[in-house]
Amino acid sequence: MSGATGGLSAPERIKRGKLSKRKKRKRIGFALDMTPLVDITFLLLTFFMFTTTMAAPQVMEMSIPPEVDVQIEVKENELLTLRLRNDGKLFWNMANDEPKPVEIKDLRKIAETENLRPEIQNKLITVFKVSDDAKYGDMIRVMDELNLAEIKISEVITQKKDDKGNPEKRKRKFTLAPLDTADVSLIRGL
Amino acid sequence: MPKVKKKRLSFVIDMTPLVDITFLLLTFFMFTAKFKTEAESQQKFFIQRPKVTADTSKIPERNLAIVKIAIRDTVDGVVVNDTTYNYELINESDRQQVWASLEGLPEKMKAKPMLENISLDMLSTVIRNTRITNPKTMFAIDADRRIRYKWVWDAMEVMRKNRATIFNYVTEKKSGL
């Protein structure tokens, strides 16, 4: 028995009688009361299990331009406008086209195709207009899709070479703007 | 032959595997544990962070200021039931300096690790003072995904005015995928 269970065997039964008269007996196993050890270990285990925070939050980096009053001239055909309405519906259009509704999860494809059109590659500016009453979570979902589209866009663009033979760098142009009344009327009833 | 029933007095369970696993788990949790900050442990609200696809960028551990925009039921026992701005600074020495630099801050709030339910003007002052105290401070917006976007926009405008133009949105990994 003691061979199979290692150090945790039961105390050797001391037989009274003839054997007890022996003076020295070789001990084969010894017993160690593990209960306090296990108690403390479980205590610590539960403590660490309850205090630890498993899902560490991650971050999405954002940079906004500092306050500038200078108007920047933008070519209309290099402008992709996204509008997020207060009910969470998203609309997109190029230049002065009519805004078209799109599911947020389908935005990635649109962002990829529009950004990778040969004539406006790496020049496209994305304007994201969000209604004051839209949910913050929806706005982040849109940003997430745009970030996902960026993987393919930068892959294609960095494969091209500029005049000096260096790989081109992806210049991402993105801006956040509030949804003004003109925008609201534009997407009303869509 | 009649069987003699012997009453068992005690039995032995081999605890070794149990102890093994327990120690394994214990060491795992001990090494992975990241303790909550003081402000977090006193925080009486819960922010449902927006869920995004997995990203490797983690929130900085030092030189960080967090603007928490949360839906709160009560502030100091007063029922508010509204979105509130809360402000937390990670560096303790910065926090003491910035809190001390705020005029008109009630004495009992000075000891608190987080400024709760502050106005936009107050937020602007705090951000400005934070940037004066420690220009290396990074800013993060930790907002509830259910709130109106206007709250975030206003906070961003305040940050823009104080030249804190690079910041982070605190998000959570989308489950699945």
Side-chain angles (χ1 to χ4, degrees):
Chain A
M1 186 186 154
S2 58
T5 48
L8 262 177
S9 60
E12 288 284 308
R13 219 171 280 154
I14 301 158
K15 286 175 189 160
R16 302 282 165 199
K18 287 174 193 167
L19 280 171
S20 59
K21 279 175 189 165
R22 267 202 204 165
K23 287 208 174 141
K24 263 193 181 175
R25 198 167 164 256
K26 208 182 177 189
R27 278 205 210 164
I28 300 167
F30 66 97
L32 189 63
D33 190 6
M34 288 246 207
T35 325
L37 176 77
V38 176
D39 285 356
I40 294 295
T41 319
F42 265 111
L43 191 83
L44 285 170
L45 179 63
T46 39
F47 169 72
F48 279 106
M49 274 176 75
F50 284 121
T51 52
T52 193
T53 43
M54 287 305 277
Q58 51 181 27
V59 290
M60 180 187 278
E61 202 176 290
M62 178 79 198
S63 60
I64 47 175
E67 273 182 304
V68 274
D69 296 327
V70 190
Q71 290 286 322
I72 301 162
E73 296 278 315
V74 170
K75 276 189 202 159
E76 261 181 357
N77 61 348
E78 291 174 0
L79 197 65
L80 168 67
T81 314
L82 302 169
R83 294 184 176 88
L84 186 66
R85 203 162 64 178
N86 53 5
D87 57 358
K89 279 217 173 98
L90 183 69
F91 300 88
W92 75 282
N93 67 296
M94 284 296 293
N96 278 334
D97 297 352
E98 283 284 298
K100 293 175 278 286
V102 61
E103 292 283 314
I104 293 177
K105 63 177 176 6
D106 299 329
L107 178 66
R108 196 195 319 185
K109 280 210 184 74
I110 292 169
E112 280 169 0
T113 38
E114 296 303 330
N115 271 290
L116 290 175
R117 282 205 191 157
E119 67 273 17
I120 49 169
Q121 229 173 49
N122 225 356
K123 285 184 203 145
L124 189 80
I125 299 169
T126 311
V127 184
F128 184 22
K129 296 183 169 184
V130 189
S131 159
D132 276 351
D133 296 316
K135 272 196 285 184
Y136 167 69
D138 287 336
M139 174 262 185
I140 291 288
R141 270 170 67 210
V142 173
M143 303 264 296
D144 190 34
E145 286 298 319
L146 291 176
N147 284 342
L148 287 173
E150 208 57 28
I151 301 169
K152 194 179 172 190
I153 296 166
S154 53
E155 190 198 320
V156 172
I157 284 172
T158 47
Q159 274 175 4
K160 296 204 310 182
K161 299 265 168 28
D162 62 8
D163 309 333
K164 287 172 192 158
N166 299 319
E168 250 183 61
K169 281 204 182 84
R170 164 71 173 150
K171 282 175 231 135
R172 194 176 176 186
K173 290 169 197 153
F174 174 82
T175 176
L176 267 173
L179 199 74
D180 52 35
T181 41
D183 295 308
V184 173
S185 57
L186 200 62
I187 54 174
R188 180 170 295 147
L190 282 175
Chain B
M1 243 171 94
K3 267 186 191 169
V4 181
K5 266 199 180 171
K6 214 179 157 188
K7 209 181 175 187
R8 279 203 207 164
L9 284 174
S10 69
F11 63 99
V12 179
I13 302 176
D14 188 2
M15 288 243 235
T16 325
L18 177 77
V19 177
D20 286 355
I21 294 294
T22 319
F23 265 111
L24 192 82
L25 284 172
L26 178 64
T27 36
F28 169 73
F29 281 108
M30 273 176 75
F31 285 122
T32 55
K34 212 182 130 256
F35 289 96
K36 287 177 179 171
T37 59
E38 203 186 333
E40 250 177 304
S41 56
Q42 288 180 22
Q43 184 173 304
K44 290 188 189 69
F45 54 88
F46 177 72
I47 293 176
Q48 287 188 20
R49 298 191 170 113
K51 291 190 185 284
V52 299
T53 34
D55 195 342
T56 47
S57 50
K58 289 275 174 289
I59 192 161
E61 283 177 16
R62 313 244 353 119
N63 300 328
L64 180 73
I66 311 173
V67 180
K68 293 189 175 184
I69 314 177
I71 301 168
R72 296 192 64 173
D73 296 328
T74 52
V75 176
D76 286 333
V78 184
V79 179
V80 285
N81 281 329
D82 199 4
T83 315
T84 55
Y85 290 113
N86 307 277
Y87 190 82
E88 186 190 335
L89 259 177
I90 300 294
N91 292 7
E92 177 60 22
S93 55
D94 292 353
R95 186 195 70 77
Q96 283 174 0
Q97 270 190 53
V98 172
W99 271 218
S101 70
L102 299 171
E103 280 167 30
L105 189 73
E107 208 50 46
K108 67 169 181 153
M109 270 176 93
K110 276 195 179 159
K112 281 194 178 180
M114 184 165 62
L115 295 178
E116 294 178 43
N117 197 18
I118 54 176
S119 64
L120 271 177
D121 291 336
M122 183 67 154
L123 186 67
S124 180
T125 318
V126 185
I127 290 176
R128 189 165 57 243
N129 290 2
T130 306
R131 283 182 50 81
I132 294 167
T133 312
N134 183 357
K136 278 188 288 185
T137 307
M138 302 273 293
F139 287 87
I141 291 184
D142 191 359
D144 200 297
R145 61 171 180 258
R146 298 164 297 172
I147 62 163
R148 286 171 65 213
Y149 174 68
K150 177 147 194 358
W151 286 86
V152 182
W153 177 259
D154 287 346
M156 288 192 323
E157 282 295 295
V158 165
M159 281 157 79
R160 189 207 300 265
K161 285 202 186 86
N162 291 297
R163 296 268 184 279
T165 52
I166 297 173
F167 53 88
N168 295 303
Y169 292 125
V170 182
T171 56
E172 202 169 85
K173 198 170 85 184
K174 207 191 274 174
S175 53
L177 275 172

